[in-house]
Amino acid sequence: MQSRPQDRPLALSAGKSHSPANGRDERVHSDADSMEEEADFNWEEYLEETGATAAPHTAFKHVDISLQSSFQPGMKLEVANKSSPDTYWVATIVTTCGQLLLLRFSGYGDDRKADFWCDVMTAELHPVGWCSQNNKTLQPPEDNVYLRKAIKEKYSDWTDFLIQDLTGSRTAPANLLEGPLRGKNTVDLIVEGSVIEVRDLTDPSLYWAARVAQNIGGRLRLRHVGLQDDAHDTWLFYLDVRLRPLGWAQENRLSLEPPAGKGEGS
């Protein structure tokens, strides 16, 4: 015999309390179960079930580039010596991984056995020249006997070695080591309100300034200067060939003109 709708709650009530607290617990468990289901989503199973094909990684090279650090291999900086307070030594960036830098102290040449990682956000790092400006001592770490011996065999003092080592080298930019931009990737440097120049869609010799209204992972919502509303906003990835820094058109003797149909005040 089929139970009546009004009878069903009574059958359920035998093993459950209907107190307000219990109701909250049920909702919490329900939300947790839902989140667990979402976390268990498997792309490989989805592709197999739907017969879909994943887009190749080669189609997203621009994303890989956007994740690259603003620091470049070969840049030099001054690193605090942990074993010798108030002394520093020069190191070269070997490679980067987000805000992590793989460094090699000057004097090791191509020998990678003593390469070390450091976090830009926590390590004491400075651009080359900072020690001179702040009356700090540049010398190899006191506990690094190998490095000190290797340099002393070829040079009479640290100064002679550094002059040779730093000639023609690139220093890591100060704004990436200190201040609010410290450790940020290139894509994060383009903040809301920044102004850049955008090449015209039809005439490659024409540019006009645009303000960044949003930056979502490097995808920029741009609003041409002179426009007040978002009706004509344009979305471009920050590495798009149409985008240039402010002043680029003038430096290259190109024209600055508002896009057709988007004149000032329209």
Side-chain angles (χ1 to χ4, degrees):
M1 181 173 131
Q2 194 172 26
S3 63
R4 293 173 300 169
Q6 60 267 33
D7 293 335
R8 291 172 192 159
L10 296 176
L12 294 172
S13 66
K16 294 184 179 180
S17 166
H18 287 279
S19 66
N22 190 65
R24 286 196 296 271
D25 288 344
E26 289 177 7
R27 286 196 297 272
V28 170
H29 287 307
S30 177
D31 293 341
D33 292 341
S34 176
M35 292 174 65
E36 186 176 354
E37 289 178 4
E38 291 179 6
D40 289 342
F41 181 81
N42 188 305
W43 270 109
E44 293 183 358
E45 292 179 2
Y46 171 81
L47 294 174
E48 184 177 351
E49 291 173 359
T50 60
T53 302
H57 292 290
T58 54
F60 302 97
K61 290 181 179 179
H62 62 293
V63 176
D64 289 335
I65 296 174
S66 70
L67 296 176
Q68 292 179 2
S69 171
S70 300
F71 295 99
Q72 299 298 320
M75 287 181 174
K76 294 183 181 293
L77 38 75
E78 295 175 353
V79 186
N81 291 326
K82 295 181 179 179
S83 61
S84 310
D86 294 326
T87 68
Y88 300 77
W89 189 238
V90 175
T92 302
I93 298 175
V94 178
T95 190
T96 66
C97 182
Q99 66 187 47
L100 297 178
L101 304 179
L102 181 62
L103 303 178
R104 181 179 303 162
F105 276 132
S106 291
Y108 274 97
D110 296 327
D111 189 346
R112 57 188 297 179
K113 67 182 179 184
D115 291 359
F116 61 98
W117 289 96
C118 70
D119 188 330
V120 178
M121 301 303 293
T122 58
E124 188 178 352
L125 308 173
H126 301 283
V128 172
W130 182 88
C131 284
S132 176
Q133 296 170 1
N134 292 273
N135 297 318
K136 299 294 183 179
T137 302
L138 271 174
Q139 66 178 35
E142 289 184 355
D143 59 348
N144 196 323
V145 178
Y146 172 88
L147 181 59
R148 284 172 164 258
K149 182 179 179 181
I151 296 175
K152 280 295 187 180
E153 286 179 351
K154 299 179 181 178
Y155 299 91
S156 58
D157 58 42
W158 313 134
T159 304
D160 291 339
F161 168 76
L162 287 175
I163 292 175
Q164 179 73 22
D165 184 65
L166 295 175
T167 299
S169 65
R170 295 179 299 158
T171 181
N175 64 340
L176 298 180
L177 297 169
E178 305 161 351
L181 302 183
R182 181 179 182 181
K184 290 186 177 294
N185 289 333
T186 305
V187 65
D188 299 320
L189 302 181
I190 307 175
V191 298
E192 184 176 327
S194 300
V195 180
I196 56 181
E197 293 180 353
V198 185
R199 190 179 71 196
D200 191 86
L201 269 173
T202 58
D203 189 339
S205 67
L206 296 180
Y207 281 79
W208 189 243
R211 185 167 280 104
V212 177
Q214 276 183 288
N215 178 358
I216 303 178
R219 190 164 177 261
L220 308 180
R221 181 160 67 91
L222 303 172
R223 185 171 304 161
H224 284 93
V225 171
L227 298 180
Q228 302 303 319
D229 56 53
D230 59 4
H232 299 288
D233 284 2
T234 303
W235 286 93
L236 289 174
F237 194 63
Y238 86 105
L239 294 176
D240 195 289
V241 295
R242 292 178 58 204
L243 301 181
R244 299 291 181 180
L246 192 64
W248 189 89
Q250 184 176 9
E251 291 175 3
N252 291 272
R253 299 181 180 180
L254 298 172
S255 300
L256 280 170
E257 294 182 15
K262 299 180 184 178
E264 188 172 350
S266 62

